[in-house]
Amino acid sequence: MPVLDRCFAVFRRALRPAVVVVLLAVFAAALPAASVHGIVTDATGAKVSGARIALLANGKIVSSVVTSSDGSFEITTGKSGRFFLVVTASSFRQLQTPNFYAGPLDAIERNLVLEPAWVRQAIVVTATGVPTPQAQTSAATTVLSLHDLEMRTDLVSALRLMPGTQVVQTGQMGAQSSLFVRGGDSDDNKILVDGVDATDLGGQFDFGPFSTTAVESAEVYRGPDSDLFGAGAETGVVNLTTPRGTTSFPSILFEGDAGNLDTSREQLEAAGTHRKLDYLGAFSWLQTANDLPNDEYHVATSAANLGWALTSGTQVRATLHYGVSATGVPNAWDFYHIADDATQKDQNLFFSAGIGNQMTASLHNDVRYGAVRKREQANLWQTSGNYQAYNSDCFSAAYLGNTVTIAGANGYSATGQAVLDCSTYATQFVNNRDQLIYRGDLAFTPHLGALVGFQFEDERGAEPSSSYYPSVERINYDYQAAVHGDFKNRFFYTLGGALEHYSLFGVETTPRAGFSYYVLRPRHGVFSGTRLLFNFGESDREPTMIEQDESLYSFLETYNPAAISQLHIGKIGAPQNRTYEGGIQQDLLSDHILFRARYFHNEFGRQIEYVGLDLIPELVPNLSAAEQASLEAILQANYAYELTVNSEAFRAQGVETSLEGGIGKSIFLRGGYTYLDAVVQRSFTNSDQALLGPIPTFDGIEVGPYSPLVGARPFRRAPHTGFLSAIYAGGRFTGQLTAAFASRSDDSTFLEGADANGGNSLLLPNRNLDYGYAKLDMGWSVRLISWADLYVQQENLMNNQHIAPIGYPSLPFTVRTGLRLRWGPGSGRH
């Protein structure tokens, strides 16, 4: 028996650790654990096996897995908090996801899309309304990343670095800057800040005083997009996004620099996370004297981004951008050689707040409120120039510039004095908008999805400085629906449309369709992927406040309301655009090089222009001869001169090309060229000779003083534009060299009847009046120590004075040198 007892004792001692291990395993299995699962694909939707996925928290790896043969993965952790994923795979660029909150019982789905290592194919939202890889859309989109924006103070130069776009800045830093896309007008674009419409009523947006502070990326969509974003997205959409905090503790970034022309800039940013909260706050101040008299400019920008994860699938987020700027407005210096004593001040607030809910793995809903508050004040404080007792352009005393010679790029020139000022002025414009936006998207299968949306707008506009123009209020609704998907990851499609109900112009429909087909699937080899593209779309734009206030309908509403019903006069209509587009994308050398080429054809109809009173009755449809005579009598009796009507049409077609690729892992090259053929097909602005007199001429050449003549090119749209960009990012050194090119373009001096004798001697032929240019910029930064960088930004290295339109000298060569200081690992941004 003692022997048997000893055997049992040994057995119990041996069994005890095994029981403990089993009990611990059972207990661990019962503990709450968060899991992250999903599928890894390439940009075309093909599954990626063997990709290594690491789950990180507080900068440390919590767990890692390798994707299976179907691209799927699952990571489980007993921790809760803020996480992010890092994905690496052969021939693909390393991907780091935005951080997310996961509780102890949450199951998080994160489907990940990898980009080729040598080219950029980002995730975009403007093409389908939901995050979609560029390779799965037929739309023309370009994403300007933090590398493209971080050392620039505004978006003006950066927006030139893509095909199909042209930015025109009428002056130096801070001056009014307009974006033209594919030959359309500058107010044909929808500008979004965190998904909220940031434009004035009618689509105008001034990029001059808008700072890059707290702008993480700029996604630019070229083409009609009213089916997703409503009236205003007639030729393009620019979506600006705000970064968010990512570190688990406050991380602070400071930048301070100084340069020539008394330029200085300071920027402070603090960001991070705390449990379910992520936060970012930023402030910057920039000032410069520019290079002309009375042209000082300064801008202060504040920004914030706050997010709260209610659950792993529900998040509340609010963002704010507020900018206050003031700039001198010396006028077209080359026409006068005397500067106006004038200023323009802007106060712009953009606010967004919303809640997004991933109800199921396939269903996502997003509700967002947006507010825009914009104020613009312009003042001519006192008249400047050479006093003249009477000038017919002013109908009173005038102040002339000095005697100058105005020379155009077309070789024509004129010498004389132009009227600079008639009297002082003070104007103010107010644009307010409140938006409510809903978007819901449902994935029926991995290859078929649908989107529905609704948008409500309450717009208010006013010109408080004028007693003539009434305030404006517009209530607008948009209903949107679309389907998108693919067939075997080879044929991709988007079909959608919107029903718009706008209080100003009534009901419009805006359909859009896009298709792309991989003739040759992506693979290794010289020709590593060939894709054909086609797009069709119709879009429109809401008229501006001034276009509405100075329309035929508004005039009659003020002076003869009865004529509106008697003659069936309608409100000013929405300008429209119809676009056809086809193209090809070719991958070369195993995705090392990507070539794109697109042909686009835009037909712009019902465009708004000013027409003289003698022609207006003939342009109103369905009026008898007697009714035309009656309308003309009403206009003459009430001293109408010119009013806005929907009578202009023009066409813009062209070819966009781009080429991009990488050399190793540190160098990325990109370039492009666009040919634009635009022509005015119908216009009556210059045709009312009974009222306006004969069309002005220069040496027998007819001149359009304020707008192009029929058969001519629209103003300030160059037929040839291009760009080059080279970025190096490796180790301690980062550098970027960029160049933007443009050929000569049509324009006017706008000096009709404005010479010393009230004549037109200072008008020049429109054709090729603006100079072509090449603008070369360079920026670089070097890591001095772990928490400090030295950076330099140089712009206009060739000191080109003809980047702006005729009359406006461009900002010469400028350089800024500064330090970037960090507290905490990283800047806190993602």
Side-chain angles (χ1 to χ4, degrees):
M1 289 297 293
V3 174
L4 187 60
D5 288 339
R6 284 196 297 271
C7 290
F8 275 113
V10 171
F11 178 74
R12 284 196 301 270
R13 284 195 299 270
L15 183 64
R16 190 179 301 141
V19 172
V20 171
V21 169
V22 171
L23 291 175
L24 287 175
V26 172
F27 179 73
L31 284 176
S35 68
V36 183
H37 64 278
I39 297 176
V40 179
T41 65
D42 66 13
T44 69
K47 307 297 190 297
V48 177
S49 62
R52 179 166 296 278
I53 303 175
L55 180 69
L56 287 86
N58 298 325
K60 297 180 180 179
I61 296 178
V62 175
S63 181
S64 65
V65 297
V66 175
T67 57
S68 61
S69 59
D70 63 354
S72 63
F73 71 92
E74 183 172 9
I75 303 177
T76 302
T77 176
K79 296 183 178 182
S80 63
R82 291 251 167 205
F83 301 93
F84 62 91
L85 300 172
V86 175
V87 189
T88 56
S90 177
S91 300
F92 293 97
R93 183 178 294 112
Q94 185 181 80
L95 171 68
Q96 179 176 319
T97 69
N99 66 34
F100 54 89
Y101 178 83
L105 296 175
D106 290 333
I108 310 295
E109 182 177 40
R110 286 292 183 271
N111 295 321
L112 308 173
V113 180
L114 298 180
E115 300 179 49
W118 299 278
V119 297
R120 291 183 178 178
Q121 294 187 347
I123 304 296
V124 297
V125 297
T126 53
T128 61
V130 297
T132 306
Q134 282 179 304
Q136 297 182 27
T137 75
S138 58
T141 54
T142 300
V143 178
L144 298 175
S145 67
L146 196 60
H147 277 305
D148 300 299
L149 303 176
E150 64 179 345
M151 283 187 285
R152 298 190 184 273
T153 61
D154 58 34
L155 293 165
V156 174
S157 294
L159 288 173
R160 295 186 174 113
L161 302 178
M162 63 190 72
T165 62
Q166 186 173 356
V167 180
V168 175
Q169 186 167 33
T170 52
Q172 302 187 354
M173 186 181 293
Q176 184 176 16
S177 303
S178 304
L179 174 67
F180 297 86
V181 177
R182 289 183 168 182
D185 290 330
S186 61
D187 48 10
D188 289 346
N189 312 303
K190 181 77 77 173
I191 313 301
L192 308 174
V193 177
D194 295 311
V196 172
D197 186 358
T199 62
D200 296 349
L201 276 68
Q204 295 174 334
F205 188 87
D206 184 2
F207 285 95
F210 190 88
S211 169
T212 54
T213 297
V215 175
E216 181 179 43
S217 66
E219 179 182 328
V220 182
Y221 175 101
R222 304 182 302 280
D225 214 5
S226 290
D227 62 301
L228 286 177
F229 298 102
E234 194 173 0
T235 59
V237 175
V238 179
N239 185 32
L240 308 173
T241 58
T242 306
R244 62 185 65 177
T246 61
T247 58
S248 58
F249 44 80
S251 183
I252 299 174
L253 173 69
F254 171 79
E255 294 181 348
D257 57 61
N260 61 336
L261 304 179
D262 297 326
T263 302
S264 64
R265 174 179 172 269
E266 297 80 33
Q267 178 170 300
L268 181 65
E269 180 183 286
T273 65
H274 179 69
R275 304 180 69 87
K276 295 186 175 185
L277 173 72
D278 66 80
Y279 57 89
L280 177 139
F283 175 80
S284 70
W285 169 267
L286 180 145
Q287 63 183 19
T288 180
N290 280 318
D291 190 44
L292 293 174
N294 300 341
D295 200 17
E296 294 85 1
Y297 166 65
H298 68 258
V299 58
T301 302
S302 304
N305 188 346
L306 298 175
W308 181 267
L310 296 177
T311 67
S312 62
T314 304
Q315 185 175 79
V316 178
R317 182 163 301 280
T319 64
L320 172 73
H321 284 256
Y322 179 61
V324 179
S325 65
T327 182
V329 186
N331 211 319
W333 171 263
D334 288 343
F335 292 169
Y336 311 104
H337 284 187
I338 296 175
D340 263 337
D341 182 11
T343 60
Q344 178 177 317
K345 299 178 181 180
D346 292 271
Q347 301 90 40
N348 297 322
L349 181 146
F350 311 108
F351 174 75
S352 170
I355 181 169
N357 172 251
Q358 189 74 43
M359 187 171 292
T360 68
S362 302
L363 178 61
H364 175 260
N365 294 284
D366 185 86
V367 178
R368 183 173 305 181
Y369 164 75
V372 173
R373 302 290 185 267
K374 305 181 75 172
R375 304 288 187 275
E376 177 188 311
Q377 300 101 25
N379 293 84
L380 178 63
W381 300 104
Q382 63 181 10
T383 55
S384 304
N386 304 290
Y387 178 78
Q388 185 182 41
Y390 179 83
N391 186 282
S392 58
D393 188 49
C394 294
F395 299 103
S396 64
Y399 298 84
L400 307 180
N402 292 333
T403 300
V404 298
T405 296
I406 299 172
N410 51 21
Y412 295 102
S413 62
T415 300
Q417 287 180 283
V419 173
L420 176 60
D421 296 325
C422 294
S423 61
T424 59
Y425 61 77
T427 62
Q428 181 179 359
F429 290 94
V430 176
N431 288 269
N432 294 333
R433 180 185 294 109
D434 291 281
Q435 276 187 299
L436 184 63
I437 304 168
Y438 165 75
R439 288 262 172 82
D441 58 272
L442 174 65
F444 297 105
T445 74
H447 301 282
L448 176 64
L451 176 143
V452 293
F454 170 76
Q455 180 173 291
F456 166 81
E457 288 183 339
D458 180 5
E459 299 181 313
R460 287 97 56 204
E463 187 180 350
S465 57
S466 172
S467 59
Y468 176 78
Y469 296 117
S471 59
V472 169
E473 182 168 8
R474 303 170 180 175
I475 304 296
N476 307 323
Y477 304 88
D478 284 292
Y479 304 88
Q480 304 141 9
V483 294
H484 49 268
D486 69 273
F487 182 70
K488 295 186 176 181
N489 296 323
R490 192 160 191 163
F491 176 75
F492 297 89
Y493 60 88
T494 297
L495 300 170
L499 178 66
E500 304 173 351
H501 189 287
Y502 280 63
S503 60
L504 178 57
F505 58 77
V507 177
E508 296 284 350
T509 57
T510 52
R512 182 168 67 98
F515 308 96
S516 68
Y517 176 69
Y518 276 95
V519 178
L520 181 65
R521 290 178 182 270
R523 61 177 185 176
H524 292 286
V526 176
F527 293 95
S528 49
T530 303
R531 186 161 67 116
L532 300 180
L533 312 164
F534 173 78
N535 291 295
F536 165 80
E538 294 182 354
S539 56
D540 54 12
R541 173 179 69 82
E542 194 179 23
T544 66
M545 278 195 301
I546 292 179
E547 289 171 339
Q548 177 183 352
D549 289 339
E550 299 186 359
S551 67
L552 171 62
Y553 182 93
S554 296
F555 182 86
L556 294 177
E557 193 175 37
T558 300
Y559 295 103
N560 197 325
I564 294 176
S565 58
Q566 292 171 358
L567 302 176
H568 307 288
I569 305 296
K571 294 181 179 180
I572 193 79
Q576 295 180 325
N577 174 32
R578 176 176 294 174
T579 296
Y580 298 92
E581 177 186 355
I584 185 171
Q585 174 180 304
Q586 180 65 59
D587 294 14
L588 300 167
L589 303 178
S590 304
D591 283 336
H592 280 66
I593 299 175
L594 181 60
F595 171 76
R596 297 185 179 100
R598 296 171 182 266
Y599 165 77
F600 59 87
H601 185 103
N602 295 321
E603 286 288 346
F604 295 94
R606 296 203 321 194
Q607 301 298 299
I608 298 173
E609 64 176 348
Y610 285 88
V611 176
L613 66 89
D614 294 335
L615 290 180
I616 287 176
E618 300 176 22
L619 300 176
V620 177
N622 304 318
L623 291 187
S624 65
E627 289 173 328
Q628 290 180 8
S630 174
L631 178 56
E632 184 170 350
I634 294 172
L635 298 177
Q636 290 177 342
N638 293 283
Y639 303 103
Y641 184 69
E642 290 181 307
L643 299 173
T644 57
V645 294
N646 297 97
S647 57
E648 185 187 44
F650 66 97
R651 179 259 295 156
Q653 63 180 346
V655 177
E656 295 177 353
T657 61
S658 66
L659 187 69
E660 64 181 57
I663 301 176
K665 296 182 178 180
S666 302
I667 299 176
F668 179 70
L669 306 173
R670 188 165 62 93
Y673 163 78
T674 300
Y675 169 70
L676 174 67
D677 174 26
V679 62
V680 176
Q681 298 166 312
R682 186 176 64 248
S683 175
F684 299 92
T685 292
N686 303 292
S687 302
D688 196 345
Q689 296 188 23
L691 177 68
L692 305 174
I695 296 175
T697 62
F698 181 96
D699 284 350
I701 302 172
E702 291 187 335
V703 177
Y706 298 109
S707 65
L709 302 172
V710 173
R713 298 190 299 232
F715 288 168
R716 297 182 177 177
R717 271 149 276 194
H720 305 278
T721 55
F723 69 94
L724 293 171
S725 173
I727 297 176
Y728 174 84
R732 298 163 61 90
F733 180 81
T734 300
Q736 182 179 43
L737 179 67
T738 64
F741 312 92
S743 65
R744 297 178 298 175
S745 56
D746 290 11
D747 207 341
S748 175
T749 62
F750 299 96
L751 295 176
E752 182 181 29
D755 65 17
N757 301 312
N760 298 323
S761 65
L762 295 177
L763 287 176
L764 294 176
N766 304 123
R767 189 72 167 185
N768 291 332
L769 187 61
D770 285 342
Y771 288 83
Y773 66 83
K775 183 175 186 290
L776 189 64
D777 303 331
M778 181 172 66
W780 55 268
S781 66
V782 60
R783 180 71 52 85
L784 302 176
I785 51 180
S786 61
W787 50 270
D789 298 348
L790 171 70
Y791 65 90
V792 177
Q793 178 69 22
Q794 299 167 298
E795 304 228 5
N796 198 7
L797 294 174
M798 300 172 65
N799 204 37
N800 194 323
Q801 297 290 287
H802 293 295
I803 299 171
I806 186 171
Y808 295 89
S810 300
L811 194 67
F813 168 76
T814 61
V815 58
R816 298 176 8 253
T817 303
L819 285 174
R820 183 182 297 118
L821 307 176
R822 291 175 297 276
W823 288 268
S827 67
R829 293 173 60 164
H830 182 83

